[in-house]
Amino acid sequence: MENHDGVKGMLRTQQLIRNENLHCASNYHPLPVVLTRGQDVWLWDVEGRRYLDMMSAYSAVSFGHSHPELVAVLCEQAQRLAVTSRAFHNDLLGPFLGLLCEMTGMDRALPMNTGAEAVETALKAARKWGYQAKGIPEGQARIIVCKGNFAGRTTTIVGFSSEPQYRAGFGPFAPGFDVVPFGDADALELAITPDTAAFLVEPVQGEAGIVVPPPGYLARCREICSRHNVLLICDEVQTGLGRTGRLLACEHESVVPDALVLGKALGGGLLPVSAFLARAGVMDVFQPGDHGSTFGGNPLACAVGHAALQLLRRESLAQRAATTGARLLQGLRSIAHPAIRDLRGKGLLIGLELDPHFISAHAFCLRLMEHGILSKDTHGTVVRFAPPLTISAGQVDDALATIKAVFAELPAPQQQRPLAA
Ligand SMILES: *Cc1c(COP(=O)(O)O)cnc(C)c1O
C-alpha cells in the first residue's frame, strides 16, 4: 500500500513537471520537486514529503512561508482596497514609506515592485543627479559597478553584468557603465572620472556565490565616494532587512549610503514589493512624470510591506539572524570535509563552496533534497544556506546533522583519469 502510494506520488510529480515543461519557458533549471504548501521554515511537496527551506526564495521569504500575521493583513487589505495606481493618493503609502525611511535612515522612498525595477530607478536617479547636481555634461554620466554583480534581468542591468550567459544574445546594451573588481577600493578610486555619477554595490554579493568583501571595504568605498562627489548606492535587495544579521548589511561597517535599493523580503514573502530610497538631495531630481509604475505603491503592497517591517522590528529578526547564522556557520565549519573548498557568509546568508572533483553543487543539492533540505546552487560550485530568519537554534542543529550525513555519504573524489598509453 505504502509502496503503491509512493509510486502514485512519483508519477504525479513527474506528470506535473512534464506539464510545466510543456508550457513554461525553460529559463530555469529547478530541482525535481513539486511544492504545494509552505509554513514557516517548512515546505511540502505533492507527495506529502516535508522539507526545510534553506533557500527562502532567494531571501524573499525571510519571515517564513505564509506568516499568519502577514497573511491576515494581506486578506483583510485585499478585501478592502488593493490597487489604485498613483493617479490618486492612498491611506497606506505614507505610513509604509514613513516606517521604511525611519528604519533605514533615508529621507525619501520611491515604491516599485521587483528588485530589478528598483535598481533601474536607482540608475535613473543617479544619472539625473549627475546632470543636475554634479554638472556632468548631458548624456555623459557613468556608473561604476562591480565584477560579479547581480541586480536583476532587465536589458540595461544584464548589460553591465560580468556573467557571459546573462548577456549572450541580448545586446545591444545601454552604455555608461564601468566594471571594477569587487572588494578592491583602490580599483574603485582609479575608475572614478569627473563623469562618474554613482557607484552601485552589493555589501555582500549574493548571486555571485555569497562573496563577502574584505573588512573595511565598504567604509573605504564610502570615504572615496564622498571625496569624489560620487553617489554610493547599496543594492541590498538580497542582503537587506535582517538577512546578514543587521537591518542593513552596510551597518556592519557603519556606512550610510546616499541611496539604497530594497526588495525581496520587503514583500513579506507574499508579494513583489521593492523600493529605491535616498537622501532628499538625490530623490528630489524626480519630477511628476519622470518615472512611475502602475503597481508601485499599491495599497495591498503597502499594507503587507508595513506589516513585514513591524514584524521584523518586533521580533528582532536581524539579531536572531546574527545568532542563528553564527551557529550555522560554526557548525558547517566543524564539518571540515575535504570536499569543502570555502565557507563564507554573514548572518543567515551563507555559501559553501565545494570542490567539483568531489561533487557539483547541483548534485549536492539533489542529495540534500533526498534528505529533506531544499537549497540551490549558485555558479555550479556554491551551495546557498539562507533559511527564513525565523529558523530556530534547534532547527539549525537538525539541519547541520542532515548536512553532515550528506557529507558522510559522499564518494571519494573522482580519480584523475590515467593517461592513455
Ligand atoms: C534578486 C536581486 C535583484 C533583482 O530582484 P528581482 O525582484 O528578481 O528583480 C537585484 N539585486 C540583488 C542584489 C538581488 O539579489
Side-chain angles (χ1 to χ4, degrees):
M1 187 66 195
E2 201 175 35
N3 188 27
H4 178 69
D5 277 356
V7 169
K8 245 172 64 183
M10 224 167 70
L11 286 175
R12 184 158 150 70
T13 295
Q14 284 167 3
Q15 191 193 0
L16 283 163
I17 290 175
R18 218 177 309 122
N19 195 38
E20 183 179 309
N21 289 344
L22 198 59
H23 299 288
C24 185
S26 52
N27 57 328
Y28 276 86
H29 178 47
L31 292 186
V33 60
V34 181
L35 300 171
T36 186
R37 189 161 75 87
Q39 193 192 332
D40 194 21
V41 298
W42 303 108
L43 287 164
W44 284 265
D45 70 10
V46 290
E47 300 178 39
R49 266 194 301 252
R50 189 181 78 160
Y51 303 88
L52 178 70
D53 183 4
M54 294 199 87
M55 254 294 286
S56 309
Y58 299 94
S59 296
V61 185
S62 284
F63 304 95
H65 294 276
S66 300
H67 192 288
E69 194 176 312
L70 300 180
V71 170
V73 168
L74 177 85
C75 293
E76 196 268 331
Q77 188 62 40
Q79 287 171 326
R80 189 183 162 87
L81 182 65
V83 176
T84 53
S85 86
R86 292 202 40 215
F88 315 105
H89 297 278
N90 75 65
D91 59 354
L92 294 166
L93 185 58
F96 169 48
L97 297 186
L99 182 59
L100 187 58
C101 287
E102 184 206 317
M103 287 174 71
T104 58
M106 293 283 128
D107 295 325
R108 306 215 204 297
L110 197 160
M112 298 295 282
N113 312 285
T114 65
E117 287 174 317
V119 172
E120 290 277 356
T121 306
L123 302 175
K124 287 173 78 172
R127 284 178 177 169
K128 199 161 182 202
W129 174 88
Y131 302 128
Q132 290 194 346
K134 184 163 174 171
I136 296 171
E138 186 61 36
Q140 300 298 306
R142 304 196 67 79
I143 293 169
I144 299 175
V145 297
C146 287
K147 196 161 177 284
N149 71 76
F150 182 85
R153 300 294 202 148
T154 63
T155 50
T156 292
I157 289 172
V158 297
F160 60 72
S161 172
S162 54
E163 175 64 40
Q165 199 203 343
Y166 295 173
R167 299 164 51 93
F170 301 125
F173 300 114
F177 296 96
D178 299 301
V179 184
V180 297
F182 181 62
D184 182 347
D186 293 330
L188 166 66
E189 182 150 31
L190 279 173
I192 291 173
T193 74
D195 290 341
T196 304
F199 174 49
L200 174 71
V201 66
E202 297 157 79
V204 174
Q205 287 189 331
E207 296 316 295
I210 324 291
V211 183
V212 182
Y217 171 64
L218 204 64
R220 275 209 63 210
C221 291
R222 172 69 281 181
E223 184 271 316
I224 290 165
C225 286
S226 299
R227 192 149 38 79
H228 292 275
N229 194 24
V230 166
L231 299 179
L232 174 66
I233 306 177
C234 288
D235 179 349
E236 295 231 27
V237 170
Q238 188 158 164
T239 55
L241 303 178
R243 174 57 55 188
T244 70
R246 295 288 185 93
L247 182 81
L248 301 173
C250 54
E251 289 172 17
H252 288 286
E253 299 201 346
S254 306
V255 162
V256 179
D258 299 289
L260 188 62
V261 189
L262 292 175
K264 292 196 170 116
L266 191 58
L270 297 174
L271 293 171
V273 183
S274 68
F276 169 67
L277 295 113
R279 56 183 169 82
V282 177
M283 191 67 86
D284 294 350
V285 300
F286 285 121
Q287 299 293 310
D290 278 356
H291 190 51
S293 158
T294 304
F295 287 95
N298 70 75
L300 191 60
C302 291
V304 171
H306 190 257
L309 291 174
Q310 285 175 316
L311 188 67
L312 186 71
R313 184 145 80 172
R314 198 186 65 228
E315 308 266 295
S316 307
L317 288 178
Q319 276 122 285
R320 275 182 65 175
T323 312
T324 46
R327 190 181 187 95
L328 181 56
L329 192 62
Q330 194 185 21
L332 289 169
R333 217 157 247 147
S334 77
I335 294 176
H337 189 280
I340 300 175
R341 234 188 211 171
D342 193 21
L343 184 60
R344 55 206 178 225
K346 260 202 167 103
L348 281 171
L349 187 59
I350 295 172
L352 177 87
E353 188 172 335
L354 293 169
D355 181 344
H357 292 101
F358 277 88
I359 189 165
S360 74
H362 184 79
F364 192 86
C365 288
L366 284 170
R367 283 167 181 258
L368 283 173
M369 185 182 96
E370 284 158 19
H371 285 75
I373 290 180
L374 288 182
S375 189
K376 194 81 204 298
D377 61 291
T378 97
H379 284 262
T381 55
V382 182
V383 180
R384 171 201 304 262
F385 292 115
L389 309 187
T390 54
I391 193 169
S392 69
Q395 286 163 341
V396 164
D397 294 345
D398 291 348
L400 283 166
T402 304
I403 295 163
K404 268 181 202 154
V406 170
F407 270 111
E409 287 171 13
L410 284 193
Q414 264 172 267
Q415 295 301 310
Q416 280 207 305
R417 277 207 287 153
L419 289 173

